[in-house]
Amino acid sequence: MKRQGYIALLTALLLTISFSVSSGKSTSGAIRVSAHVLPVISKTISNTSSLIVITGEDIKRGYVEVRNATLVEVRTNSREGYLITIEQSALLFKEIWVSDGSRTIILTGRSGLFHQPYSNSRGIDRRSLSYRFVLPENIEAGTYPWPLLINASI
């Protein structure tokens, strides 16, 4: 679609130049050009572990804490910021508390999202996410696959 727009603009300019040369008259004018930059995002999201370990003590306490478990690096030019979405791959937990160091959100269902405002640091935003997994009564001690899928989008 962009290419067709460029071709149309070049055709209009060539016709204008051709008209000026063939009529022998000198003409001048102004061309107004504007551009709209579409928002883009690139992201790197990595978990420091592919497993979550639940001990007997965790079960007695009622939750498991996992600090700095997900590293998120987002580059975007979107002035509106971006969204981080979190989804449980299996509905294991009653609640998941997600903290990015400055705030905590609580997920009570299978998925949730939170808005990250625009960062003026050249469009790069780095953050580390920590979690508190609130355990259901019927869970058993053991090692489980990492239960969350994390994504970032505009």
Side-chain angles (χ1 to χ4, degrees):
M1 196 66 168
K2 283 184 180 180
R3 188 173 183 192
Q4 290 173 344
Y6 292 134
I7 291 171
L9 179 61
L10 286 174
T11 303
L13 288 173
L14 288 174
L15 287 174
T16 302
I17 293 169
S18 296
F19 174 75
S20 296
V21 171
S22 64
S23 68
K25 296 180 181 177
S26 171
T27 60
S28 65
I31 296 176
R32 189 175 302 188
V33 177
S34 66
H36 176 72
V37 178
L38 296 175
V40 294
I41 188 170
S42 68
K43 64 212 175 237
T44 303
I45 300 171
S46 57
N47 291 321
T48 57
S49 175
S50 60
L51 302 171
I52 184 169
V53 177
I54 299 174
T55 66
E57 283 199 22
D58 295 328
I59 293 171
K60 286 179 192 173
R61 187 176 47 243
Y63 62 87
V64 176
E65 294 260 356
V66 184
R67 300 229 179 262
N68 303 318
T70 304
L71 305 173
V72 178
E73 180 177 283
V74 173
R75 297 171 192 263
T76 184
N77 64 344
S78 173
R79 299 279 184 204
E80 286 79 38
Y82 63 96
L83 296 173
I84 292 180
T85 56
I86 302 170
E87 183 176 346
Q88 287 192 68
S89 54
L91 195 55
L92 289 178
F93 304 102
K94 292 195 310 190
E95 294 178 348
I96 301 173
W97 298 24
V98 182
S99 174
D100 68 356
S102 62
R103 64 185 170 161
T104 300
I105 63 164
I106 300 174
L107 304 175
T108 57
R110 187 167 191 99
S111 64
L113 57 89
F114 59 101
H115 178 260
Q116 291 301 118
Y118 176 72
S119 170
N120 203 11
S121 58
R122 297 183 180 211
I124 301 171
D125 186 43
R126 290 182 185 93
R127 60 190 59 248
S128 179
L129 302 179
S130 296
Y131 306 96
R132 175 181 284 190
F133 297 96
V134 179
L135 303 173
E137 293 77 26
N138 62 347
I139 199 158
E140 296 180 10
T143 302
Y144 295 86
W146 184 253
L148 300 176
L149 303 170
I150 313 292
N151 196 15
S153 61
I154 47 177

